Amino acid sequence: MTYDAASSTAAAPSRETHTPPTAPHLEIVPVAGRIGAEIRGIRLGADLDPTTQHAIRQALWRHKVLFFRRQHHLDDAHQEALTDVFGGAPVPHPTVPVKPGSRYILELDSQHGGRADSWHTDVTFEAAYPKVSILRAVTVPAAGGDTTWANTVAAYEDLPAPLRQLADTLWAVHSNDYAARRPHASEADRERHRTVFASTVYETEHPVVQVHPDSGERALILGHFVKQFVGFNRFDSQRLFEIFQAHITRPENTVRWRWAEGDVAVWDNRATQHYAINDYGDQHRVVRRVTVDGGVAVGLDGRHSVTRSKVTRSSDVALEGASSRRAESTTASPVA
Ligand SMILES: [Fe+2]
């Protein structure tokens, strides 16, 4: 099925104030029933005209993940500039060093622990976590290494009413200090996680249900950074978490992408979770990610997410309110 951007925008109300009078024809081909669409015939770049950029953003809010095949013209700088298309400034990962020679790129290299094989939304241990992630495939295994995304808006809407009402009232603590909860991680991975990814430990409270600022939809904020629910002990938190996560990641709610080198996937990080399938053994896989800065999440009652603590491991000095966007070391990149 193919349809144009003008018709696709009707179901996804935009909060953008400057709507172009006409949307261009974009060839949008849904990949799965509830999430994901391929955009064909586009040479992705920050030089796309404003009307086309607007239509791409509308398609993103609607489909949650967009795929652009074989964008071989893109280099790291071009990829960083793509954040303009998706309505915000690039932002580096808060703890993992950027790829040398780049300003904002997080490189996930399978030979250096970059295997994000756990369901998550990027960087939810921060109150203002990225609104959009842009991932480019550089080296792809001959077989395996697909990525799967899940639609957290559809998951919320499909919850039985009593569970939805419970979710509406819940808040959860998200932290990047979660290595012990990764059952498949090696000792080396755990140590790398502790010294790099969790070199500064965050604890942030998010509403479990947020109002998406661009689409107006309600979405669940959960994933592997959840430590526990506010007001619940670890035991009950784990069981509640499993119930909600199972609704998010049910196969009907997902899309899976078989990467080719040069492919770009862009996801609405406020309406999805993702999982990089770790089924390619010793084959080499390298992907590079740029994220678009996002605002602080807002719950149904208008309350904003808040970072309760932010502590460096080396000095154990609280950094609440301080800016430490970029780490200085150049070691490897664990799960993002
Ligand atoms: Fe990720």
Side-chain angles (χ1 to χ4, degrees):
M1 178 175 66
T2 315
Y3 51 89
D4 65 25
S7 63
S8 74
T9 56
S14 170
R15 298 293 177 87
E16 294 185 51
T17 53
H18 303 292
T19 304
T22 57
H25 178 82
L26 280 183
E27 190 180 1
I28 302 172
V29 182
V31 178
R34 290 184 177 174
I35 177 174
E38 182 185 340
I39 307 289
R40 294 182 178 164
I42 285 280
R43 187 179 190 275
L44 199 52
D47 56 349
L48 287 167
D49 66 84
T51 307
T52 301
Q53 293 190 24
H54 173 85
I56 290 174
R57 286 194 297 277
Q58 294 303 301
L60 180 61
W61 308 147
R62 177 187 171 102
H63 295 284
K64 320 304 185 199
V65 191
L66 301 180
F67 303 105
F68 302 84
R69 288 188 189 274
R70 296 183 172 79
Q71 304 289 313
H72 293 294
H73 60 284
L74 295 174
D75 60 16
D76 291 347
H78 289 134
Q79 185 181 355
E80 290 174 336
L82 286 177
T83 55
D84 274 356
V85 176
F86 298 98
V91 58
H93 192 279
T95 56
V96 180
V98 297
K99 173 181 174 285
S102 77
R103 297 177 64 197
Y104 300 102
I105 285 185
L106 174 75
E107 183 169 84
L108 292 159
D109 184 329
S110 60
Q111 294 179 344
H112 299 284
R115 296 175 188 250
D117 52 347
S118 175
W119 281 104
H120 65 286
T121 296
D122 287 332
V123 199
T124 59
F125 52 87
E126 283 201 301
Y129 64 94
K131 61 188 283 189
V132 169
S133 293
I134 304 165
L135 194 67
R136 179 167 61 103
V138 176
T139 303
V140 171
D146 298 358
T147 301
T148 304
W149 288 262
N151 183 337
T152 58
V153 171
Y156 173 79
E157 292 172 349
D158 279 358
L159 287 175
L163 267 185
R164 201 164 56 239
Q165 289 159 14
L166 174 61
D168 287 347
T169 68
L170 290 175
W171 283 63
V173 178
H174 294 233
S175 177
N176 55 334
D177 189 20
Y178 71 103
R181 302 199 300 278
R182 293 186 63 209
H184 306 300
S186 66
E187 270 311 308
D189 286 342
R190 289 174 198 273
E191 179 59 15
R192 194 161 38 222
H193 180 97
R194 198 184 75 82
T195 57
V196 180
F197 193 88
S199 54
T200 296
V201 176
Y202 292 71
E203 292 212 342
T204 291
E205 291 179 10
H206 288 295
V208 166
V209 181
Q210 73 161 325
V211 181
H212 193 291
D214 290 295
S215 70
E217 295 174 315
R218 296 179 177 190
L220 296 166
I221 318 177
L222 289 168
H224 72 193
F225 293 119
V226 171
K227 183 176 179 182
Q228 66 187 89
F229 292 93
V230 175
F232 290 79
N233 63 29
R234 293 282 185 100
F235 182 88
D236 290 334
S237 291
Q238 182 60 31
R239 280 143 190 82
L240 265 181
F241 178 78
E242 288 165 2
I243 290 170
F244 287 116
Q245 276 293 123
H247 280 272
I248 291 168
T249 61
R250 59 193 291 251
E252 290 79 3
N253 215 22
T254 65
V255 63
R256 176 168 175 159
W257 188 250
R258 169 86 276 266
W259 293 98
E261 288 179 3
D263 286 0
V264 173
V266 180
W267 61 92
D268 180 343
N269 197 48
R270 298 174 300 199
T272 55
Q273 288 186 23
H274 54 283
Y275 183 114
I277 297 170
N278 187 7
D279 62 349
Y280 50 96
D282 294 333
Q283 296 180 85
H284 199 196
R285 181 181 188 271
V286 179
V287 292
R288 293 180 187 157
R289 188 184 87 191
V290 174
T291 50
V292 181
D293 212 356
V296 175
V298 181
L300 300 180
D301 61 0
R303 289 166 58 206
H304 289 69
S305 301
V306 59
T307 296
R308 295 294 184 196
S309 69
K310 183 175 168 186
V311 178
T312 58
R313 284 189 191 276
S314 54
S315 63
D316 281 344
V317 174
L319 294 174
E320 184 65 49
S323 173
S324 63
R325 282 291 197 188
R326 196 182 302 243
E328 298 302 328
S329 135
T330 54
T331 49
S333 54
V335 173

